Amino acid sequence: MLKQLMSTEDSIIYSLKTLYKKSGYSEFKMRRFEEYSMYAQNKSFLMSEDIITFNGMGGKLLALKPDVTLSIVKNTKADTDNTEKIFYRESVFRADKQSHEYKEINQIGLEVLGNIDKLATVEILQLAMKSLEVVSPDYILDISHMGLIMSCLDDLEQAQAREEILGCIGSKNIHDLKNICMKYSVDDDISDRIVKLVGVGADIKNALEMLKPLIISDGMKNAYDELFEIYELLNLLGCSDKIRIDLSLINDIDYYNGIVMKGYIKGIHKDILSGGRYDNLTQKFNKSIGAMGFAIYMGDLLYFYSDKNDYDADVLILYNENSDLSAVVYEAEKLRSEGRIVRVDNKIPKNFKYLELEQL
Amino acid sequence: MLNVALPKGRLGNKVYNMLEAIGYECKEIMEDSRKLIFINENTGVKYFLVKPSDVAIYVEYGAADIGFVGKDILLEQSSDVYELLDLGLGKCKMAVASINDFRDDPKRPLRVATKFPNIARGYYDTKNREIEIIKLSGSIEIAPVLGLSDVIVDIVETGKTLIENGLSVVEDIVPISARMIANKSSYKFKEKEIEKIVTELKKGEYK
């Protein structure tokens, strides 16, 4: 009964929070404002450089948080012997590319900080899949390993070339990729390999097979092995069928270093879940710990579900100056105890739709 | 059902003919009417005709699974989509042009008239040149002639318009042609259908 009364958004959040709590993650609540200096020093880790700032009472420059992970990493007490597992539900404020306005983005996510081994990684991937399942059974979780593409680009010194190549990889744009490699005189060997890597997109088992002959360096081998071990464990657990490897998946290279993921729901035009391994960020804060997590963006879900109720209430009880008021209250409570939505009023509210009308 | 956004006009007609040739026909589309949506249940395809500059938006927001659009528009809008194929149609280039005896004066910001402010800004950022953008919607070529701007950043196809207005290309920025794009999420769930079109269209390239 409770579920019916909740909006779909609320019930998803409720289910996700329950899922994370049951898995032993504790809820993290962050301060609404952060000092601007933290974001200014770590701009490259933020999705957008536009941050809403204002002066605090003491004259300090404060910011409305554009990101959650940064604060979590900054404040964490985790070390390799003391792993923290947390989840959060927060709003962040970022500039929107399309509307050129700030947008409030509702996020729910989790992070593991400290010692991230194979099991921790698999647990996070499983939780990501279960989270998507909460939204819809028609989902796909794409994963990749940043080490595979990045070790091909290691020798590339020109930042501009790197950026353009990464742009092409992210959009599976092979035709321009070849031209750009030529423009920056990238070795044919390397450019061929990148083209082949970008073409790897399949279920995890087949993708690993496609990937095997493309491994040439130690960096790539390590990344491959990590993916393979994860696959083996996921397979034993019987949950490898909705997870795919897609090497065109590139998350922010300053932030992420290992396994990255994006989750898609059929019918929603972009990824609603995004995350990965981000030791690069913890190192920036001089913490030698592993870190991995993901976030789900609730905003895009609002258009996926239409919570349009045909009725505002099951019953509208109307009373007037002659009514027995205690009888009105008694009747309303009785109906509510039967599980019905009841509104009490002395006039019919404008545009109000009800199934039954009772006049007392 | 595969939703396909086609740009109204010449490019759209060409692309439709290519798609028809590989089995995605929908005869109704070639009839002279004001309809914008055309469905062929048998081939499982739904076409809609939109303004060329809007194609990428329809695809990015998932109203269309795939679309066909000029690279100029993709660059200008930096659309978050998969760019799966260069169709080799509508080949031209994005270039900087100005009056024939133009010389850049580095002591002041360069005034750039263009329909493509993001491309122009991006290009001059890489050259570390300070510019002032003058956004126009058409007849860009007359801006330097009238002294409204120093240069223009625009699409150059044959260069005829430039010559007729006493302009010439100063620098090339990037080659442009029509591309097939796909929504990132749709691609995950309709990969086979979409990749089939890519493969078939690729075959056509070498015929």
Side-chain angles (χ1 to χ4, degrees), chain A residues 11 37 45-46 61 76 78 113-114 146 164 169 173 190 195 208-209 220 231 236 252 290 294 306 331 340 360:
Chain A
S11 83
S37 58
F45 292 108
L46 299 174
L61 192 57
T76 185
L113 301 124
M146 297 293 279
E164 286 183 32
I169 294 173
N173 179 348
I190 298 178
V195 167
L208 285 168
E209 266 165 37
M220 289 179 88
Y231 161 67
L236 281 175
D252 191 331
F294 62 79
S306 60
E331 174 66 7
R340 308 229 270 170
L360 291 178

Side-chain angles (χ1 to χ4, degrees), chain A residues 70-246:
Chain A
L70 221 53
S71 304
I72 291 177
V73 171
K74 187 186 151 205
N75 295 319
T76 185
K77 304 248 173 345
D79 57 47
T80 40
D81 296 322
N82 173 38
T83 300
E84 279 182 5
K85 294 188 175 186
I86 52 175
F87 73 92
Y88 60 84
R89 192 225 159 163
E90 297 281 350
S91 286
V92 295
F93 300 86
R94 290 178 189 160
D96 183 49
K97 184 187 92 180
Q98 285 287 343
S99 62
H100 295 287
E101 260 307 334
Y102 286 107
K103 222 177 171 179
E104 178 176 356
I105 297 163
N106 240 321
Q107 279 187 350
I108 181 163
L110 60 82
E111 317 281 355
V112 178
L113 301 124
N115 180 26
I116 310 238
D117 56 11
K118 184 166 76 179
L119 184 57
T121 306
V122 167
E123 179 181 281
I124 293 168
L125 291 174
Q126 262 191 311
L127 282 170
M129 285 190 273
K130 284 181 183 166
S131 303
L132 290 166
E133 180 94 43
V134 164
V135 179
S136 160
D138 258 336
Y139 73 87
I140 282 173
L141 182 69
D142 266 0
I143 61 165
S144 179
H145 195 297
M146 297 293 279
L148 290 166
I149 297 278
M150 292 319 286
S151 56
C152 287
L153 298 180
D154 267 351
D155 302 329
L156 220 66
E157 273 157 21
Q158 293 147 291
Q160 181 67 22
R162 241 172 203 256
E163 201 178 299
E164 286 183 32
I165 290 173
L166 286 171
C168 285
I169 294 173
S171 59
K172 293 186 187 280
N173 179 348
I174 291 167
H175 39 278
D176 287 336
L177 184 64
K178 286 178 185 161
N179 295 335
I180 289 166
C181 286
M182 256 183 340
K183 184 169 103 187
Y184 290 103
S185 345
V186 176
D187 271 4
D188 284 353
D189 259 17
I190 298 178
S191 80
D192 282 352
R193 185 155 298 109
I194 296 174
V195 167
K196 280 184 186 141
L197 284 173
V198 177
V200 175
D203 61 273
I204 191 161
K205 183 166 175 259
N206 281 317
L208 285 168
E209 266 165 37
M210 289 160 84
L211 204 52
K212 213 171 180 182
L214 302 173
I215 305 298
I216 42 143
S217 63
D218 288 347
M220 289 179 88
K221 175 89 171 50
N222 291 341
Y224 176 85
D225 289 347
E226 198 181 333
L227 282 172
F228 190 80
E229 285 178 357
I230 283 164
Y231 161 67
E232 281 183 324
L233 187 47
L234 282 170
N235 204 28
L236 281 175
L237 296 167
C239 55
S240 60
D241 58 326
K242 284 199 172 175
I243 190 164
R244 290 170 44 95
I245 291 184
D246 185 334

Side-chain angles (χ1 to χ4, degrees), chain B residues 3-7 55 59 64-69 179-183:
Chain B
N3 299 313
V4 184
L6 289 177
V55 168
V59 174
D65 299 316
I66 60 170
F68 297 85
V69 60
R179 309 292 163 97
M180 173 179 161
I181 58 173
N183 174 271

